[in-house]
Amino acid sequence: MEKILVCLKRVVDYNVKIRIKPDETDVVTEGVKMSINPFDEIALEEALRIKESGQANEVIIVSVGPEDCQQQLRTGLAMGADRAILVEHSENTEPLTVAKLLHQIVQQEQPELILLGKQAIDDDCNQTGQMLAELCSYSQATYASKLSVGSNSLEVTREVDQGLETLEIDLPAIVTVDLRLNDPRYVKLPDIMKAKKKSLDVINPNDLKISMDPFFKVISVTAPPPRESGIKLSDAGELFDALKAKGLVD
Amino acid sequence: MQQEALCIAFESIVGKQNCITDPEIIKTYLEDWRGIHVGFTPIVLLPNSTQSISQIMKICFDNNIGVTPQGGNTSLCGANIPHSTKDRLEIVINSSKMNQILELDTHNQSLIVQSGCILSTIQTIAEDKGLFFPLSMGAEGSCQIGGNISTNAGGVNVLKYGMIREQIMGLEVVLPDGTVFSDLKGLRKDNTGYDLKQLFIGAEGTLGFITSVCLKLFSQPTSYSSALVAVENPFKALELLKKGKAFFGENLTGFELMSSSCIQAVEKYLPSCKIPLSSLYPWQILIEVGNITTDQNNDERMVVFLEKELETAVITDGIVANSIQERKDFWRIRHAIPEAEKYTGSAIYHDISVPISKIPELIEQSIAELEEYIGKSTVFAFGHVGDGNLHFTKGKPASMDKTSFLNETANVHRIVHEVAVQLGGSFSAEHGIGTKLKNELEHFSDPVKLELLRTIKNSIDPKNIMNPNKLIS
């Protein structure tokens, strides 16, 4: 195939201990380590492997977000993507808006395959890939843990509750990827240097004629209640009584 | 007092379940981490208060019983291992149940804890309040703060924060006769006579039993920029260190050198560790900067610094951590080296320091002299080169059998220590003396120093109750 498009989201690094802003409007992101959404990084790694195996010619990465997203796109370029596109928008974005913006990019670039993470670890929406598939009228497969590219189709193994499900879908297609698909590479210093010469286009969402007005209003963001400490019981009888007292067994 | 009567007395202090006499259970208290130092005791006590320890010490003092203080049992020189004999009973007082957090003062940036608190627990408590306790090392998940203090532990953050000695504001110690010396004030300034707490730091339990400590906390770095780089030789490592200090100033917090043999051992024996840079590079360095600003360009600065060093061939390759996970991956390799070493077979270990400029000579000369003495074999060299500290391990030559190799331990030690001392260094950088290096202390130390050490020991512990025959006799 000619092109693979990979969508990357900039998120709070998953090892950071999340703190809530005092006014409960959002989580604190000021001064916090940001990284590529780990599932998106896996999507990019897969795209690069497909390209390196000679089954694709170009890997394009795209992100929607503030100017600082350029850092994550530069990382993606250093990993091996050929060029990058940033749709710059400084406010929070919602999945449907992002899907609409990405749809515009898809129409411009006409990739045969679009890869992205099954969800972003910040809002855990798990919507963008599915919405984009609908907007583009592409085949879709979600939660991919294995991918093989055929001449005009894809074989995708999905992680579902009952086990593994294998699908064959036609190209062009959108695949959202799961954790076990691959282990992303480390970025080497010489590749970071080379990546500086690669093109990174910045687009204004207005030029794509998509409204950025939110559909949702966030009322409050609060921390989950702290977990209560456990109790020690001496035998199974006591456990039974304790469960019964809580109405968990009859 | 007969042993039985003693046990009854101890049980009345700590409770029956905390007075261990079952030889099967006691076994776990008799062997050090590498399994090199093995000892014996019929009694292990697990008290949970200063008062209990004071009462125990009083009994031991009155009955002339030796006491081995023990923490997480991760020591490497044998100071934590009891050696009870027919002639003299020696018991273990283990601090595992002395694990209370006593006071956290966020304004004073101080934390008072009992001595059996595990290092990683202390790190987490500080972190939860946005503060930082810098002591960090491979054993942090099991070593206890009392042991850290008794060995004046170093670890991976000495470059910026110093050894644990510099992070201690106060101590509470039970003296050999059961008296409690309490100085837990969280003061950064206190010029009221001899700074007595310093005596117990690094004393390896030979002067008293540390029961509580007031630790100094620091502001937490907002993030870290970490990189793993490859260099041709230790000279290039020194050049990189010098330039790194100039570029990052005091924010350079980590500079760990690792020989290819170390990386290869981790790769082979601990396959769950990811190896980001090829283990064929002769030397790798983990370099880390603790950022104090929230500027998102911190990682970019690391890239800018390393790019220049790559262009001028100081380094030959490198990876900058893109996520906190990648930083963890890097440190995992560094911390896994001692474990990987264990799997490679018999080895003789050294923990030496020299002025930083002498590190390349230290490595070169030690390797050459040992090769001449005992033959060629794998050498594991790694450590906190930013502090002039090197862990240097000589593997067994293939032609030798295990026993005859290990019989050479003292001679091998002497050769390496001689090299270090000749270069203006020390034969024990951060692991201490214990029983392992007592002879070396006698051999290399100025007689005036030895006399002073003995004077102090005799005046505080005239009956030689505390950790007898460790460090000095």
Side-chain angles (χ1 to χ4, degrees):
Chain A
M1 64 186 101
E2 192 52 41
K3 288 180 189 175
I4 304 177
L5 183 73
V6 181
C7 315
L8 304 181
K9 185 174 186 184
R10 170 187 165 94
V11 297
V12 173
D13 189 285
Y14 82 91
N15 275 293
V16 167
K17 209 178 227 170
I18 298 294
R19 284 178 298 131
I20 309 282
K21 285 184 180 170
D23 64 0
E24 299 194 338
T25 54
D26 204 348
V27 300
V28 176
T29 53
E30 181 106 340
V32 167
K33 172 85 182 166
M34 306 294 280
S35 302
I36 300 175
N37 174 36
F39 295 111
D40 295 342
E41 197 182 4
I42 292 168
L44 174 56
E45 176 65 33
E46 196 65 15
L48 296 173
R49 290 184 191 189
I50 293 170
K51 186 191 161 190
E52 283 157 3
S53 72
Q55 291 169 297
N57 289 328
E58 189 180 26
V59 174
I60 307 160
I61 50 178
V62 58
S63 187
V64 178
E67 188 189 354
D68 286 339
C69 283
Q70 291 197 20
Q71 287 168 10
Q72 280 63 43
L73 288 171
R74 284 286 167 211
T75 300
L77 291 172
M79 280 176 76
D82 296 289
R83 59 190 168 92
I85 301 165
L86 171 62
V87 183
E88 195 178 312
H89 181 64
S90 56
E91 304 297 317
N92 270 344
T93 48
E94 292 170 5
L96 184 56
T97 310
V98 173
K100 285 178 179 174
L101 292 168
L102 292 175
H103 179 220
Q104 296 299 311
I105 304 290
V106 170
Q107 286 186 328
Q108 287 172 16
E109 298 288 346
Q110 298 288 320
E112 289 96 326
L113 177 60
I114 302 168
L115 293 173
L116 66 167
K118 65 170 181 179
Q119 67 195 64
I121 60 160
D122 51 1
D123 56 19
D124 277 343
C125 278
N126 185 349
Q127 294 171 347
T128 307
Q130 293 88 327
M131 287 172 168
L132 180 60
E134 176 62 25
L135 291 171
C136 300
S137 297
Y138 276 23
S139 326
Q140 68 166 309
T142 49
Y143 310 116
S145 62
K146 194 163 174 263
L147 206 69
S148 30
V149 181
S151 57
N152 214 1
S153 65
L154 285 178
E155 195 179 282
V156 184
T157 303
R158 308 176 62 227
E159 293 190 350
V160 292
D161 285 348
Q162 295 82 358
L164 298 176
E165 179 184 57
T166 304
L167 301 178
E168 192 182 298
I169 58 173
D170 292 333
L171 291 174
I174 290 184
V175 178
T176 73
V177 310
D178 216 325
L179 191 66
R180 276 170 282 272
L181 180 63
N182 61 46
D183 200 2
R185 67 195 65 190
Y186 295 93
V187 179
K188 293 209 167 188
L189 207 50
D191 295 325
I192 297 177
M193 294 162 78
K194 275 183 231 156
K196 288 190 177 158
K197 298 193 187 88
K198 293 182 180 176
S199 105
L200 194 165
D201 290 332
V202 180
I203 299 177
N204 186 323
N206 294 334
D207 298 341
L208 298 173
K209 305 208 166 27
I210 301 292
S211 160
M212 300 302 286
D213 296 339
F215 296 96
F216 300 102
K217 186 176 165 213
V218 175
I219 297 166
S220 75
V221 177
T222 54
R227 216 181 121 175
E228 285 175 38
S229 61
I231 49 167
K232 263 189 184 167
L233 302 172
S234 54
D235 55 36
E238 268 188 37
L239 174 64
F240 184 77
D241 293 341
L243 292 174
K244 202 169 175 181
K246 286 184 178 288
L248 296 167
V249 290
D250 299 323
Chain B
M1 237 196 250
Q2 290 297 309
Q3 202 166 300
E4 215 164 286
L6 267 177
C7 283
I8 293 169
F10 288 144
E11 279 175 13
S12 72
I13 299 169
V14 296
K16 205 170 166 59
Q17 72 281 13
N18 293 321
C19 175
I20 300 170
T21 50
D22 178 345
E24 274 308 303
I25 304 176
I26 280 185
K27 267 189 193 167
T28 57
Y29 297 90
L30 299 179
E31 197 173 296
D32 78 340
W33 187 75
R34 282 189 182 129
I36 292 174
H37 303 98
V38 185
F40 172 74
T41 182
I43 302 172
V44 173
L45 301 178
L46 300 167
N48 63 6
S49 71
T50 304
Q51 196 196 356
S52 299
I53 293 178
S54 166
Q55 289 168 353
I56 296 165
M57 288 307 307
K58 179 85 172 58
I59 294 175
C60 293
F61 188 79
D62 291 343
N63 292 279
N64 193 29
I65 296 164
V67 171
T68 303
Q70 193 180 74
N73 236 353
T74 60
S75 140
L76 299 168
C77 294
N80 56 331
I81 302 302
H83 294 283
S84 193
T85 64
K86 259 191 285 187
D87 300 329
R88 193 182 192 201
L89 177 64
E90 225 181 288
I91 65 164
V92 165
I93 302 181
N94 185 291
S95 55
S96 298
K97 301 220 162 158
M98 297 282 292
N99 56 7
Q100 298 297 309
I101 309 299
L102 302 175
E103 189 189 308
L104 174 64
D105 183 339
T106 53
H107 290 290
N108 196 41
Q109 301 207 336
S110 59
L111 174 66
I112 302 179
V113 298
Q114 281 189 313
S115 58
C117 284
I118 289 174
L119 176 55
S120 60
T121 310
I122 293 171
Q123 294 166 344
T124 309
I125 288 165
E127 203 183 316
D128 286 347
K129 297 286 178 191
L131 293 169
F132 180 59
F133 184 62
L135 185 69
S136 173
M137 66 189 77
E140 64 198 21
S142 42
C143 64
Q144 298 171 10
I145 198 72
N148 295 144
I149 297 166
S150 293
T151 48
N152 187 24
V156 297
N157 282 324
V158 175
L159 193 53
K160 178 167 178 183
Y161 299 94
M163 310 277 279
I164 195 174
R165 188 184 295 282
E166 294 175 50
Q167 300 154 25
I168 291 176
M169 292 198 277
L171 283 185
E172 179 189 75
V173 184
V174 175
L175 300 175
D177 64 357
T179 319
V180 179
F181 165 62
S182 184
D183 176 22
L184 284 173
K185 291 194 289 282
L187 297 178
R188 285 167 174 78
K189 290 189 168 183
D190 181 22
N191 282 350
T192 53
Y194 302 145
D195 191 358
L196 293 173
K197 65 176 177 287
Q198 301 300 344
L199 275 178
F200 301 94
I201 302 169
E204 304 186 16
T206 59
L207 299 178
F209 196 110
I210 296 172
T211 46
S212 297
V213 54
C214 179
L215 298 167
K216 202 189 279 180
L217 302 181
F218 296 80
S219 299
Q220 199 171 34
T222 50
S223 65
Y224 290 95
S225 300
S226 321
L228 203 56
V229 300
V231 293
E232 282 291 312
N233 55 52
F235 288 102
K236 297 279 188 187
L238 277 194
E239 202 179 331
L240 186 69
L241 175 63
K242 196 172 152 194
K243 289 181 169 171
K245 281 180 175 170
F247 193 89
F248 296 111
E250 65 156 12
N251 292 334
L252 183 69
T253 52
F255 198 89
E256 299 282 321
L257 183 69
M258 301 171 276
S259 65
S260 59
S261 52
C262 296
I263 311 272
Q264 283 161 12
V266 172
E267 191 170 33
K268 183 169 175 192
Y269 295 103
L270 300 166
S272 66
C273 288
K274 293 188 187 173
I275 306 293
L277 276 182
S278 163
S279 60
L280 297 175
Y281 287 121
W283 297 91
Q284 294 189 21
I285 296 165
L286 201 176
I287 176 168
E288 183 159 281
V289 173
N291 304 309
I292 45 162
T293 64
T294 54
D295 189 347
Q296 292 288 354
N297 290 324
N298 285 320
D299 286 347
E300 186 55 34
R301 263 175 72 74
M302 179 63 95
V303 171
V304 168
F305 169 66
L306 291 176
E307 273 176 3
K308 200 160 154 242
E309 303 311 318
L310 189 66
E311 275 163 8
T312 54
V314 174
I315 63 174
T316 50
D317 201 352
I319 291 174
V320 177
N322 267 321
S323 63
I324 297 175
Q325 188 56 47
E326 290 191 0
R327 170 180 184 244
K328 287 183 176 178
D329 294 346
F330 295 175
W331 277 108
R332 185 135 182 257
I333 299 169
R334 169 60 188 83
H335 285 319
I337 294 171
E339 197 185 342
E341 263 184 346
K342 280 211 299 194
Y343 295 115
T344 58
S346 309
I348 299 173
Y349 304 92
H350 309 82
D351 163 44
I352 43 188
S353 65
V354 288
I356 297 169
S357 55
K358 304 283 186 197
I359 286 271
E361 281 167 82
L362 175 68
I363 296 170
E364 250 173 44
Q365 279 187 36
S366 302
I367 291 177
E369 290 192 23
L370 286 181
E371 225 172 277
E372 196 182 314
Y373 177 72
I374 204 166
K376 216 175 156 86
S377 68
T378 310
V379 163
F380 304 94
F382 65 102
H384 324 294
V385 165
D387 319 324
N389 181 193
L390 195 72
H391 300 310
F392 183 92
T393 306
K394 174 76 174 170
K396 182 180 78 63
S399 56
M400 278 181 101
D401 67 85
K402 190 178 164 181
T403 316
S404 37
F405 173 66
L406 291 179
N407 283 342
E408 290 291 342
T409 301
N411 295 330
V412 169
H413 279 164
R414 185 56 59 84
I415 289 170
V416 175
H417 295 157
E418 201 70 67
V419 172
V421 171
Q422 289 295 324
L423 291 169
S426 167
F427 61 91
S428 184
E430 61 173 5
H431 293 171
I433 303 293
T435 47
K436 180 186 174 186
L437 298 175
K438 262 176 76 182
N439 287 338
E440 302 300 83
L441 184 70
E442 293 280 345
H443 176 80
F444 287 109
S445 298
D446 172 5
V448 178
K449 172 179 173 169
L450 289 173
E451 191 48 41
L452 274 173
L453 288 178
R454 287 201 177 92
T455 306
I456 292 168
K457 168 76 178 169
N458 292 339
S459 64
I460 296 179
D461 185 18
K463 285 185 155 185
N464 195 22
I465 303 281
M466 289 307 303
N467 221 2
N469 304 314
K470 312 287 167 51
L471 209 161
I472 192 155
S473 38

